Amino acid sequence: MLLRKIFLAMNEFSTKFRVYLEDTDAGGIVYYVNYLKYMERARTEWLRSLGVEFEGLQHFGCQFVVHSVQANYKKPARMDDELIVTAQVEKLGRTYVIFKQRVLKQESVLCEAVVKVACVDVDSLRPRVLPDVLKQPFLAVESAAS
């Protein structure tokens, strides 16, 4: 179990974003929904780093949709802040992936969330099993952690 936790911690993807005026409210504080946008971008960049792009998903007849989000907002981000946004796979199901995500300013956690992303059929939008080619990066994490 400890080895699994260590490996998952190593599996954390991160990317940087800058806060722009369009991200803030009238008080210069990042509007709460924009944290979710930053997290979406981090998940997309994480998939891209694994060689999975949007067109690739379409090729397999599937797409990812957010099923649910549980977010905790701790501190505000402000105009011009440089943020680090992380994405880490917490659980892989047959038809979904659960991500643990954080938005940080330097070492300080501003927002953290658990995001469940479902794999659905492009045409019917009904849940479908993750294609094997998309499962491989997740399975590598699982087997290395065992």
Side-chain angles (χ1 to χ4, degrees):
M1 186 66 161
L2 179 61
L3 179 60
R4 175 180 167 74
K5 286 182 182 179
I6 292 169
F7 190 83
L8 286 174
M10 291 172 36
N11 185 43
E12 185 174 66
F13 174 84
S14 67
T15 188
K16 292 181 180 179
F17 296 104
R18 175 78 59 190
V19 174
Y20 295 103
L21 183 61
E22 67 191 27
D23 299 325
T24 64
D25 61 17
I29 294 173
V30 170
Y31 186 60
Y32 78 95
V33 76
N34 287 328
Y35 292 96
L36 301 178
K37 291 179 181 182
Y38 300 150
M39 291 178 189
E40 175 79 27
R41 292 176 194 160
R43 290 191 308 275
T44 300
E45 291 303 322
W46 177 76
L47 284 171
R48 186 172 282 126
S49 77
L50 297 173
V52 179
E53 299 205 20
F54 181 76
E55 290 177 5
L57 292 173
Q58 297 293 311
H59 173 75
F60 294 107
C62 65
Q63 65 186 40
F64 288 124
V65 296
V66 173
H67 173 275
S68 56
V69 176
Q70 184 176 20
N72 295 312
Y73 300 92
K74 298 179 177 289
K75 296 179 183 177
R78 298 179 187 275
M79 176 67 187
D80 285 330
D81 284 350
E82 184 176 74
L83 306 177
I84 299 169
V85 184
T86 68
Q88 181 180 34
V89 175
E90 190 169 88
K91 182 178 180 184
L92 173 66
R94 285 177 25 95
T95 60
Y96 64 88
V97 181
I98 296 177
F99 290 93
K100 179 179 177 184
Q101 294 195 258
R102 297 179 303 151
V103 178
L104 303 106
K105 179 181 173 187
Q106 297 170 353
E107 299 294 318
S108 184
V109 177
L110 306 182
C111 180
E112 56 189 5
V114 175
V115 183
K116 183 176 183 180
V117 179
C119 181
V120 298
D121 181 84
V122 169
D123 296 320
S124 69
L125 298 179
R126 295 183 54 85
R128 63 166 286 181
V129 174
L130 285 160
D132 286 339
V133 70
L134 297 178
K135 277 196 250 182
Q136 292 310 312
F138 301 114
L139 293 175
V141 170
E142 290 290 326
S143 65
S146 298

